[in-house]
Amino acid sequence: MLSPEKRKPAALPEGLRIYAIGDVHGRLDLLDSLARRIEADLRDAPALAFTIFLGDYVDRGPNSAGVVDRLARRDFPTEFLALRGNHEEVMLNFLLEPAVLENWRNYGGLETLHSYGIDVLPAMRGLGYEGMRDSLLERLPRSHEEFLRETEYYTTSGDYFFCHAGVRPGTPLDEQSPRDLLWIREEFLAFRGSWDRVIVHGHTPVDQPELLASRINVDTGAFASSILTAVVLEGSERRILSTARTAGRSAVEEKRQPLPRPA
């Protein structure tokens, strides 16, 4: 970790633009909309533009199967890397152990199963978990399962570290545990120091994207807010591209912001 006085403005290598997208949570409609806006934004892109999805493609929203299908087909305006979220981790665990549904049903698992055409009524009564696991194994396309299993826990580029939930203070970035990268919240969010890279994450919904000196949060609660957000990183610049609605109509929310300085 670096002390604030030694910290330089975070930047990407010259000629690279990264779109880092927050939690989609089954909102294929918003993913489609943001993809169109990214496609339009590419008109003035540098030599290389790349997208990093920060995890949580499934659960809560109505069309998890559609989101996974689009990403598994690599149908997006740029090349991309998909990171794993805690919700993908739970879904994969359910494929191995049906009892996982006892908890998963409380935070979006039933919506995901329903999106794959599975009758979830028994699970609403706490029944039929094994049968639902078997049904999901039958209905889940191999390409979907391969996509989920191939998701990565983190990646880095330039002065940025990308993960789903955050990192544990006091632990070097290259030694972070998968559990913390997928699940950490309070210990990470309350930390007022800095790391040797700026952490770009989702996992914790916020009303507005947080562009801070040491971390960037782009989870704007898409499943409930209908706002799916990407932070656009290029050189030392950060700006926001989203599916926000203004004045009753759909609009790109784009705001260029100077790099925040450590307090």
Side-chain angles (χ1 to χ4, degrees):
M1 296 180 187
L2 298 178
S3 61
E5 62 270 18
K6 294 181 179 180
R7 193 173 185 84
K8 296 180 179 179
L12 290 178
E14 185 176 353
L16 171 63
R17 177 186 294 175
I18 288 180
Y19 299 89
I21 298 178
D23 305 33
V24 182
H25 276 309
R27 291 297 302 267
L28 178 61
D29 57 333
L30 300 180
L31 179 60
D32 291 345
S33 177
L34 188 58
R36 291 192 295 270
R37 293 168 191 193
I38 288 175
E39 186 171 27
D41 193 65
L42 290 171
R43 293 169 187 160
D44 65 346
L48 178 60
F50 191 75
T51 298
I52 298 173
F53 287 93
L54 298 173
D56 279 7
Y57 316 106
V58 302
D59 296 351
R60 294 186 169 139
N63 200 352
S64 293
V67 171
V68 174
D69 186 69
R70 176 165 188 171
L71 296 180
R73 289 186 288 106
R74 314 300 296 184
D75 179 13
F76 205 72
T78 72
E79 294 295 319
F80 68 82
L81 174 68
L83 300 183
R84 182 173 300 187
N86 58 309
H87 286 258
E88 287 76 58
E89 183 86 344
V90 173
M91 183 175 177
L92 290 170
N93 288 341
F94 173 65
L95 296 177
L96 300 174
E97 176 48 67
V100 166
L101 189 54
E102 180 64 27
N103 288 322
W104 188 30
R105 64 178 179 148
N106 296 320
Y107 48 89
L110 299 186
E111 289 87 343
T112 294
L113 293 174
H114 186 263
S115 76
Y116 281 97
I118 297 171
D119 179 10
V120 299
L121 187 59
M124 296 174 69
R125 301 194 298 266
L127 303 172
Y129 295 170
E130 186 169 352
M132 289 186 190
R133 189 278 307 272
D134 294 344
S135 293
L136 182 58
L137 286 171
E138 292 174 2
R139 294 169 180 264
L140 187 68
R142 179 175 297 180
S143 62
H144 290 204
E145 184 173 357
E146 289 176 351
F147 167 78
L148 293 169
R149 294 195 183 283
E150 290 171 1
T151 50
E152 300 186 20
Y153 289 112
Y154 73 91
T155 192
T156 63
S157 183
D159 297 323
Y160 292 95
F161 181 99
F162 303 84
C163 62
H164 174 62
V167 298
R168 183 165 295 280
T171 300
L173 294 181
D174 59 358
E175 297 178 15
Q176 294 288 323
S177 72
R179 178 166 183 80
D180 283 336
L181 293 169
L182 297 179
W183 292 94
I184 198 168
R185 185 165 278 138
E186 285 79 10
E187 301 96 325
F188 168 63
L189 299 176
F191 182 63
R192 292 296 176 260
S194 60
W195 293 269
D196 55 0
R197 284 185 166 95
V198 174
I199 314 302
V200 184
H201 67 98
H203 185 58
T204 300
V206 288
D207 290 336
Q208 299 289 334
E210 295 177 323
L211 303 180
L212 308 177
S214 61
R215 64 178 181 86
I216 299 173
N217 182 2
V218 289
D219 179 8
T220 46
F223 74 95
S225 69
S226 293
I227 300 175
L228 180 63
T229 297
V231 62
V232 188
L233 304 172
E234 187 173 346
S236 59
E237 181 184 76
R238 307 168 176 182
R239 57 187 172 91
I240 293 297
L241 193 65
S242 85
T243 60
R245 291 182 176 273
T246 58
R249 61 185 176 83
S250 185
V252 175
E253 178 186 314
E254 182 175 338
K255 184 177 182 182
R256 297 177 186 270
Q257 299 199 15
L259 183 71
R261 298 293 182 180

PDB file of all heavy atoms in Angstrom, residues 69-97:
ATOM      1  N   ASP A  69     -26.462 -15.892 -21.929  1.00  0.00           N
ATOM      2  CA  ASP A  69     -26.396 -16.319 -23.324  1.00  0.00           C
ATOM      3  C   ASP A  69     -25.677 -15.287 -24.185  1.00  0.00           C
ATOM      4  O   ASP A  69     -24.812 -15.641 -24.997  1.00  0.00           O
ATOM      5  CB  ASP A  69     -27.808 -16.549 -23.861  1.00  0.00           C
ATOM      6  CG  ASP A  69     -27.784 -17.127 -25.268  1.00  0.00           C
ATOM      7  OD1 ASP A  69     -27.369 -18.288 -25.416  1.00  0.00           O
ATOM      8  OD2 ASP A  69     -28.171 -16.412 -26.213  1.00  0.00           O
ATOM      9  N   ARG A  70     -26.004 -14.013 -24.009  1.00  0.00           N
ATOM     10  CA  ARG A  70     -25.353 -12.989 -24.830  1.00  0.00           C
ATOM     11  C   ARG A  70     -23.850 -12.958 -24.560  1.00  0.00           C
ATOM     12  O   ARG A  70     -23.039 -12.889 -25.488  1.00  0.00           O
ATOM     13  CB  ARG A  70     -25.965 -11.612 -24.561  1.00  0.00           C
ATOM     14  CG  ARG A  70     -25.232 -10.525 -25.323  1.00  0.00           C
ATOM     15  CD  ARG A  70     -25.932  -9.201 -25.413  1.00  0.00           C
ATOM     16  NE  ARG A  70     -25.179  -8.347 -26.330  1.00  0.00           N
ATOM     17  CZ  ARG A  70     -25.582  -7.170 -26.782  1.00  0.00           C
ATOM     18  NH1 ARG A  70     -26.763  -6.696 -26.420  1.00  0.00           N
ATOM     19  NH2 ARG A  70     -24.834  -6.467 -27.605  1.00  0.00           N
ATOM     20  N   LEU A  71     -23.478 -13.026 -23.298  1.00  0.00           N
ATOM     21  CA  LEU A  71     -22.053 -12.963 -22.971  1.00  0.00           C
ATOM     22  C   LEU A  71     -21.330 -14.234 -23.399  1.00  0.00           C
ATOM     23  O   LEU A  71     -20.187 -14.175 -23.857  1.00  0.00           O
ATOM     24  CB  LEU A  71     -21.879 -12.708 -21.479  1.00  0.00           C
ATOM     25  CG  LEU A  71     -22.417 -11.357 -20.984  1.00  0.00           C
ATOM     26  CD1 LEU A  71     -22.183 -11.205 -19.480  1.00  0.00           C
ATOM     27  CD2 LEU A  71     -21.790 -10.194 -21.746  1.00  0.00           C
ATOM     28  N   ALA A  72     -21.994 -15.380 -23.269  1.00  0.00           N
ATOM     29  CA  ALA A  72     -21.364 -16.632 -23.698  1.00  0.00           C
ATOM     30  C   ALA A  72     -21.126 -16.640 -25.206  1.00  0.00           C
ATOM     31  O   ALA A  72     -20.169 -17.271 -25.688  1.00  0.00           O
ATOM     32  CB  ALA A  72     -22.245 -17.818 -23.298  1.00  0.00           C
ATOM     33  N   ARG A  73     -21.972 -15.943 -25.951  1.00  0.00           N
ATOM     34  CA  ARG A  73     -21.788 -15.836 -27.406  1.00  0.00           C
ATOM     35  C   ARG A  73     -20.795 -14.751 -27.784  1.00  0.00           C
ATOM     36  O   ARG A  73     -20.553 -14.513 -28.974  1.00  0.00           O
ATOM     37  CB  ARG A  73     -23.141 -15.566 -28.081  1.00  0.00           C
ATOM     38  CG  ARG A  73     -24.076 -16.757 -28.060  1.00  0.00           C
ATOM     39  CD  ARG A  73     -25.350 -16.501 -28.859  1.00  0.00           C
ATOM     40  NE  ARG A  73     -26.264 -15.560 -28.211  1.00  0.00           N
ATOM     41  CZ  ARG A  73     -26.462 -14.306 -28.594  1.00  0.00           C
ATOM     42  NH1 ARG A  73     -25.792 -13.790 -29.620  1.00  0.00           N
ATOM     43  NH2 ARG A  73     -27.324 -13.519 -27.954  1.00  0.00           N
ATOM     44  N   ARG A  74     -20.254 -14.068 -26.781  1.00  0.00           N
ATOM     45  CA  ARG A  74     -19.289 -12.979 -27.005  1.00  0.00           C
ATOM     46  C   ARG A  74     -19.897 -11.882 -27.882  1.00  0.00           C
ATOM     47  O   ARG A  74     -19.203 -11.247 -28.689  1.00  0.00           O
ATOM     48  CB  ARG A  74     -17.983 -13.490 -27.653  1.00  0.00           C
ATOM     49  CG  ARG A  74     -17.405 -14.744 -27.047  1.00  0.00           C
ATOM     50  CD  ARG A  74     -17.054 -14.588 -25.599  1.00  0.00           C
ATOM     51  NE  ARG A  74     -16.005 -13.626 -25.345  1.00  0.00           N
ATOM     52  CZ  ARG A  74     -15.476 -13.381 -24.143  1.00  0.00           C
ATOM     53  NH1 ARG A  74     -15.937 -14.058 -23.092  1.00  0.00           N
ATOM     54  NH2 ARG A  74     -14.525 -12.496 -23.978  1.00  0.00           N
ATOM     55  N   ASP A  75     -21.195 -11.645 -27.709  1.00  0.00           N
ATOM     56  CA  ASP A  75     -21.919 -10.666 -28.511  1.00  0.00           C
ATOM     57  C   ASP A  75     -21.847  -9.319 -27.810  1.00  0.00           C
ATOM     58  O   ASP A  75     -22.707  -8.961 -27.001  1.00  0.00           O
ATOM     59  CB  ASP A  75     -23.373 -11.137 -28.669  1.00  0.00           C
ATOM     60  CG  ASP A  75     -24.221 -10.155 -29.467  1.00  0.00           C
ATOM     61  OD1 ASP A  75     -23.652  -9.239 -30.095  1.00  0.00           O
ATOM     62  OD2 ASP A  75     -25.467 -10.301 -29.451  1.00  0.00           O
ATOM     63  N   PHE A  76     -20.813  -8.554 -28.152  1.00  0.00           N
ATOM     64  CA  PHE A  76     -20.603  -7.259 -27.516  1.00  0.00           C
ATOM     65  C   PHE A  76     -19.744  -6.399 -28.435  1.00  0.00           C
ATOM     66  O   PHE A  76     -18.970  -6.932 -29.246  1.00  0.00           O
ATOM     67  CB  PHE A  76     -19.919  -7.440 -26.149  1.00  0.00           C
ATOM     68  CG  PHE A  76     -20.200  -6.316 -25.192  1.00  0.00           C
ATOM     69  CD1 PHE A  76     -21.458  -6.176 -24.622  1.00  0.00           C
ATOM     70  CD2 PHE A  76     -19.231  -5.375 -24.886  1.00  0.00           C
ATOM     71  CE1 PHE A  76     -21.746  -5.128 -23.769  1.00  0.00           C
ATOM     72  CE2 PHE A  76     -19.495  -4.325 -24.031  1.00  0.00           C
ATOM     73  CZ  PHE A  76     -20.763  -4.203 -23.462  1.00  0.00           C
ATOM     74  N   PRO A  77     -19.861  -5.073 -28.343  1.00  0.00           N
ATOM     75  CA  PRO A  77     -19.134  -4.209 -29.273  1.00  0.00           C
ATOM     76  C   PRO A  77     -17.607  -4.286 -29.153  1.00  0.00           C
ATOM     77  O   PRO A  77     -16.908  -3.883 -30.086  1.00  0.00           O
ATOM     78  CB  PRO A  77     -19.634  -2.801 -28.910  1.00  0.00           C
ATOM     79  CG  PRO A  77     -20.957  -3.023 -28.270  1.00  0.00           C
ATOM     80  CD  PRO A  77     -20.833  -4.310 -27.535  1.00  0.00           C
ATOM     81  N   THR A  78     -17.097  -4.719 -28.006  1.00  0.00           N
ATOM     82  CA  THR A  78     -15.641  -4.844 -27.837  1.00  0.00           C
ATOM     83  C   THR A  78     -15.322  -6.248 -27.352  1.00  0.00           C
ATOM     84  O   THR A  78     -16.188  -6.990 -26.893  1.00  0.00           O
ATOM     85  CB  THR A  78     -15.102  -3.847 -26.794  1.00  0.00           C
ATOM     86  OG1 THR A  78     -15.514  -4.276 -25.481  1.00  0.00           O
ATOM     87  CG2 THR A  78     -15.589  -2.435 -27.043  1.00  0.00           C
ATOM     88  N   GLU A  79     -14.060  -6.613 -27.431  1.00  0.00           N
ATOM     89  CA  GLU A  79     -13.597  -7.792 -26.723  1.00  0.00           C
ATOM     90  C   GLU A  79     -13.783  -7.540 -25.227  1.00  0.00           C
ATOM     91  O   GLU A  79     -13.739  -6.385 -24.771  1.00  0.00           O
ATOM     92  CB  GLU A  79     -12.123  -8.063 -27.027  1.00  0.00           C
ATOM     93  CG  GLU A  79     -11.861  -8.448 -28.467  1.00  0.00           C
ATOM     94  CD  GLU A  79     -12.493  -9.767 -28.832  1.00  0.00           C
ATOM     95  OE1 GLU A  79     -12.447 -10.706 -27.996  1.00  0.00           O
ATOM     96  OE2 GLU A  79     -13.047  -9.861 -29.938  1.00  0.00           O
ATOM     97  N   PHE A  80     -14.000  -8.600 -24.462  1.00  0.00           N
ATOM     98  CA  PHE A  80     -14.219  -8.379 -23.036  1.00  0.00           C
ATOM     99  C   PHE A  80     -13.712  -9.538 -22.199  1.00  0.00           C
ATOM    100  O   PHE A  80     -13.508 -10.648 -22.686  1.00  0.00           O
ATOM    101  CB  PHE A  80     -15.706  -8.119 -22.739  1.00  0.00           C
ATOM    102  CG  PHE A  80     -16.615  -9.302 -22.960  1.00  0.00           C
ATOM    103  CD1 PHE A  80     -16.767 -10.296 -21.992  1.00  0.00           C
ATOM    104  CD2 PHE A  80     -17.354  -9.412 -24.134  1.00  0.00           C
ATOM    105  CE1 PHE A  80     -17.617 -11.371 -22.188  1.00  0.00           C
ATOM    106  CE2 PHE A  80     -18.208 -10.485 -24.340  1.00  0.00           C
ATOM    107  CZ  PHE A  80     -18.340 -11.471 -23.368  1.00  0.00           C
ATOM    108  N   LEU A  81     -13.527  -9.226 -20.915  1.00  0.00           N
ATOM    109  CA  LEU A  81     -13.206 -10.215 -19.896  1.00  0.00           C
ATOM    110  C   LEU A  81     -14.333 -10.190 -18.875  1.00  0.00           C
ATOM    111  O   LEU A  81     -14.728  -9.117 -18.413  1.00  0.00           O
ATOM    112  CB  LEU A  81     -11.877  -9.886 -19.208  1.00  0.00           C
ATOM    113  CG  LEU A  81     -11.496 -10.784 -18.024  1.00  0.00           C
ATOM    114  CD1 LEU A  81     -11.180 -12.198 -18.497  1.00  0.00           C
ATOM    115  CD2 LEU A  81     -10.301 -10.201 -17.267  1.00  0.00           C
ATOM    116  N   ALA A  82     -14.850 -11.358 -18.515  1.00  0.00           N
ATOM    117  CA  ALA A  82     -15.924 -11.457 -17.525  1.00  0.00           C
ATOM    118  C   ALA A  82     -15.345 -11.949 -16.204  1.00  0.00           C
ATOM    119  O   ALA A  82     -14.796 -13.053 -16.131  1.00  0.00           O
ATOM    120  CB  ALA A  82     -17.012 -12.398 -18.012  1.00  0.00           C
ATOM    121  N   LEU A  83     -15.463 -11.129 -15.174  1.00  0.00           N
ATOM    122  CA  LEU A  83     -15.050 -11.531 -13.834  1.00  0.00           C
ATOM    123  C   LEU A  83     -16.209 -12.232 -13.130  1.00  0.00           C
ATOM    124  O   LEU A  83     -17.365 -12.082 -13.503  1.00  0.00           O
ATOM    125  CB  LEU A  83     -14.602 -10.311 -13.028  1.00  0.00           C
ATOM    126  CG  LEU A  83     -13.427  -9.522 -13.608  1.00  0.00           C
ATOM    127  CD1 LEU A  83     -13.038  -8.385 -12.664  1.00  0.00           C
ATOM    128  CD2 LEU A  83     -12.226 -10.423 -13.883  1.00  0.00           C
ATOM    129  N   ARG A  84     -15.878 -12.998 -12.109  1.00  0.00           N
ATOM    130  CA  ARG A  84     -16.898 -13.725 -11.356  1.00  0.00           C
ATOM    131  C   ARG A  84     -17.437 -12.881 -10.215  1.00  0.00           C
ATOM    132  O   ARG A  84     -16.682 -12.205  -9.520  1.00  0.00           O
ATOM    133  CB  ARG A  84     -16.318 -15.027 -10.794  1.00  0.00           C
ATOM    134  CG  ARG A  84     -17.340 -15.883 -10.034  1.00  0.00           C
ATOM    135  CD  ARG A  84     -16.779 -17.229  -9.635  1.00  0.00           C
ATOM    136  NE  ARG A  84     -16.366 -17.991 -10.815  1.00  0.00           N
ATOM    137  CZ  ARG A  84     -15.968 -19.265 -10.772  1.00  0.00           C
ATOM    138  NH1 ARG A  84     -15.931 -19.912  -9.605  1.00  0.00           N
ATOM    139  NH2 ARG A  84     -15.619 -19.886 -11.878  1.00  0.00           N
ATOM    140  N   GLY A  85     -18.753 -12.934 -10.026  1.00  0.00           N
ATOM    141  CA  GLY A  85     -19.376 -12.327  -8.872  1.00  0.00           C
ATOM    142  C   GLY A  85     -19.804 -13.391  -7.881  1.00  0.00           C
ATOM    143  O   GLY A  85     -19.809 -14.587  -8.186  1.00  0.00           O
ATOM    144  N   ASN A  86     -20.201 -12.965  -6.706  1.00  0.00           N
ATOM    145  CA  ASN A  86     -20.649 -13.935  -5.705  1.00  0.00           C
ATOM    146  C   ASN A  86     -21.898 -14.692  -6.150  1.00  0.00           C
ATOM    147  O   ASN A  86     -22.095 -15.853  -5.785  1.00  0.00           O
ATOM    148  CB  ASN A  86     -20.884 -13.255  -4.353  1.00  0.00           C
ATOM    149  CG  ASN A  86     -21.899 -12.137  -4.412  1.00  0.00           C
ATOM    150  OD1 ASN A  86     -21.825 -11.238  -5.242  1.00  0.00           O
ATOM    151  ND2 ASN A  86     -22.880 -12.171  -3.508  1.00  0.00           N
ATOM    152  N   HIS A  87     -22.737 -14.074  -6.980  1.00  0.00           N
ATOM    153  CA  HIS A  87     -23.943 -14.758  -7.427  1.00  0.00           C
ATOM    154  C   HIS A  87     -23.621 -15.881  -8.422  1.00  0.00           C
ATOM    155  O   HIS A  87     -24.288 -16.919  -8.409  1.00  0.00           O
ATOM    156  CB  HIS A  87     -24.932 -13.756  -8.021  1.00  0.00           C
ATOM    157  CG  HIS A  87     -25.599 -12.908  -6.975  1.00  0.00           C
ATOM    158  ND1 HIS A  87     -26.887 -13.134  -6.537  1.00  0.00           N
ATOM    159  CD2 HIS A  87     -25.145 -11.851  -6.259  1.00  0.00           C
ATOM    160  CE1 HIS A  87     -27.198 -12.242  -5.604  1.00  0.00           C
ATOM    161  NE2 HIS A  87     -26.148 -11.450  -5.425  1.00  0.00           N
ATOM    162  N   GLU A  88     -22.620 -15.704  -9.271  1.00  0.00           N
ATOM    163  CA  GLU A  88     -22.188 -16.803 -10.134  1.00  0.00           C
ATOM    164  C   GLU A  88     -21.585 -17.933  -9.301  1.00  0.00           C
ATOM    165  O   GLU A  88     -21.801 -19.115  -9.586  1.00  0.00           O
ATOM    166  CB  GLU A  88     -21.160 -16.328 -11.165  1.00  0.00           C
ATOM    167  CG  GLU A  88     -21.734 -15.493 -12.276  1.00  0.00           C
ATOM    168  CD  GLU A  88     -22.049 -14.078 -11.843  1.00  0.00           C
ATOM    169  OE1 GLU A  88     -21.118 -13.378 -11.370  1.00  0.00           O
ATOM    170  OE2 GLU A  88     -23.233 -13.666 -11.953  1.00  0.00           O
ATOM    171  N   GLU A  89     -20.853 -17.561  -8.269  1.00  0.00           N
ATOM    172  CA  GLU A  89     -20.254 -18.570  -7.389  1.00  0.00           C
ATOM    173  C   GLU A  89     -21.346 -19.432  -6.746  1.00  0.00           C
ATOM    174  O   GLU A  89     -21.237 -20.665  -6.691  1.00  0.00           O
ATOM    175  CB  GLU A  89     -19.423 -17.880  -6.305  1.00  0.00           C
ATOM    176  CG  GLU A  89     -18.703 -18.827  -5.370  1.00  0.00           C
ATOM    177  CD  GLU A  89     -17.354 -19.275  -5.877  1.00  0.00           C
ATOM    178  OE1 GLU A  89     -17.071 -19.116  -7.092  1.00  0.00           O
ATOM    179  OE2 GLU A  89     -16.563 -19.791  -5.072  1.00  0.00           O
ATOM    180  N   VAL A  90     -22.414 -18.791  -6.272  1.00  0.00           N
ATOM    181  CA  VAL A  90     -23.496 -19.539  -5.636  1.00  0.00           C
ATOM    182  C   VAL A  90     -24.205 -20.427  -6.666  1.00  0.00           C
ATOM    183  O   VAL A  90     -24.540 -21.584  -6.381  1.00  0.00           O
ATOM    184  CB  VAL A  90     -24.489 -18.582  -4.956  1.00  0.00           C
ATOM    185  CG1 VAL A  90     -25.716 -19.338  -4.447  1.00  0.00           C
ATOM    186  CG2 VAL A  90     -23.807 -17.858  -3.796  1.00  0.00           C
ATOM    187  N   MET A  91     -24.431 -19.920  -7.854  1.00  0.00           N
ATOM    188  CA  MET A  91     -25.081 -20.720  -8.885  1.00  0.00           C
ATOM    189  C   MET A  91     -24.257 -21.959  -9.212  1.00  0.00           C
ATOM    190  O   MET A  91     -24.799 -23.067  -9.347  1.00  0.00           O
ATOM    191  CB  MET A  91     -25.300 -19.870 -10.136  1.00  0.00           C
ATOM    192  CG  MET A  91     -26.037 -20.595 -11.247  1.00  0.00           C
ATOM    193  SD  MET A  91     -26.378 -19.469 -12.635  1.00  0.00           S
ATOM    194  CE  MET A  91     -27.143 -20.622 -13.802  1.00  0.00           C
ATOM    195  N   LEU A  92     -22.959 -21.794  -9.347  1.00  0.00           N
ATOM    196  CA  LEU A  92     -22.090 -22.939  -9.612  1.00  0.00           C
ATOM    197  C   LEU A  92     -22.100 -23.921  -8.443  1.00  0.00           C
ATOM    198  O   LEU A  92     -22.083 -25.139  -8.646  1.00  0.00           O
ATOM    199  CB  LEU A  92     -20.668 -22.457  -9.901  1.00  0.00           C
ATOM    200  CG  LEU A  92     -20.483 -21.729 -11.241  1.00  0.00           C
ATOM    201  CD1 LEU A  92     -19.110 -21.080 -11.318  1.00  0.00           C
ATOM    202  CD2 LEU A  92     -20.683 -22.698 -12.412  1.00  0.00           C
ATOM    203  N   ASN A  93     -22.143 -23.405  -7.237  1.00  0.00           N
ATOM    204  CA  ASN A  93     -22.216 -24.291  -6.064  1.00  0.00           C
ATOM    205  C   ASN A  93     -23.525 -25.078  -6.051  1.00  0.00           C
ATOM    206  O   ASN A  93     -23.555 -26.243  -5.635  1.00  0.00           O
ATOM    207  CB  ASN A  93     -22.074 -23.481  -4.776  1.00  0.00           C
ATOM    208  CG  ASN A  93     -20.666 -22.964  -4.557  1.00  0.00           C
ATOM    209  OD1 ASN A  93     -19.712 -23.475  -5.161  1.00  0.00           O
ATOM    210  ND2 ASN A  93     -20.517 -21.963  -3.716  1.00  0.00           N
ATOM    211  N   PHE A  94     -24.602 -24.451  -6.497  1.00  0.00           N
ATOM    212  CA  PHE A  94     -25.899 -25.134  -6.549  1.00  0.00           C
ATOM    213  C   PHE A  94     -25.859 -26.327  -7.498  1.00  0.00           C
ATOM    214  O   PHE A  94     -26.509 -27.351  -7.249  1.00  0.00           O
ATOM    215  CB  PHE A  94     -26.983 -24.148  -6.976  1.00  0.00           C
ATOM    216  CG  PHE A  94     -28.322 -24.774  -7.216  1.00  0.00           C
ATOM    217  CD1 PHE A  94     -29.034 -25.365  -6.178  1.00  0.00           C
ATOM    218  CD2 PHE A  94     -28.883 -24.785  -8.490  1.00  0.00           C
ATOM    219  CE1 PHE A  94     -30.283 -25.950  -6.398  1.00  0.00           C
ATOM    220  CE2 PHE A  94     -30.124 -25.356  -8.722  1.00  0.00           C
ATOM    221  CZ  PHE A  94     -30.819 -25.943  -7.669  1.00  0.00           C
ATOM    222  N   LEU A  95     -25.102 -26.220  -8.575  1.00  0.00           N
ATOM    223  CA  LEU A  95     -24.983 -27.340  -9.502  1.00  0.00           C
ATOM    224  C   LEU A  95     -24.356 -28.554  -8.839  1.00  0.00           C
ATOM    225  O   LEU A  95     -24.594 -29.696  -9.252  1.00  0.00           O
ATOM    226  CB  LEU A  95     -24.161 -26.931 -10.725  1.00  0.00           C
ATOM    227  CG  LEU A  95     -24.764 -25.842 -11.617  1.00  0.00           C
ATOM    228  CD1 LEU A  95     -23.809 -25.485 -12.736  1.00  0.00           C
ATOM    229  CD2 LEU A  95     -26.118 -26.275 -12.177  1.00  0.00           C
ATOM    230  N   LEU A  96     -23.566 -28.310  -7.784  1.00  0.00           N
ATOM    231  CA  LEU A  96     -22.912 -29.399  -7.055  1.00  0.00           C
ATOM    232  C   LEU A  96     -23.712 -29.846  -5.838  1.00  0.00           C
ATOM    233  O   LEU A  96     -23.666 -31.026  -5.466  1.00  0.00           O
ATOM    234  CB  LEU A  96     -21.512 -28.959  -6.610  1.00  0.00           C
ATOM    235  CG  LEU A  96     -20.539 -28.564  -7.721  1.00  0.00           C
ATOM    236  CD1 LEU A  96     -19.257 -28.004  -7.115  1.00  0.00           C
ATOM    237  CD2 LEU A  96     -20.241 -29.752  -8.622  1.00  0.00           C
ATOM    238  N   GLU A  97     -24.427 -28.908  -5.205  1.00  0.00           N
ATOM    239  CA  GLU A  97     -25.102 -29.201  -3.940  1.00  0.00           C
ATOM    240  C   GLU A  97     -26.473 -28.532  -3.907  1.00  0.00           C
ATOM    241  O   GLU A  97     -26.569 -27.315  -3.725  1.00  0.00           O
ATOM    242  CB  GLU A  97     -24.245 -28.720  -2.774  1.00  0.00           C
ATOM    243  CG  GLU A  97     -24.880 -28.893  -1.405  1.00  0.00           C
ATOM    244  CD  GLU A  97     -25.448 -30.282  -1.202  1.00  0.00           C
ATOM    245  OE1 GLU A  97     -24.647 -31.242  -1.146  1.00  0.00           O
ATOM    246  OE2 GLU A  97     -26.687 -30.409  -1.137  1.00  0.00           O
TER     247      GLU A  97
END
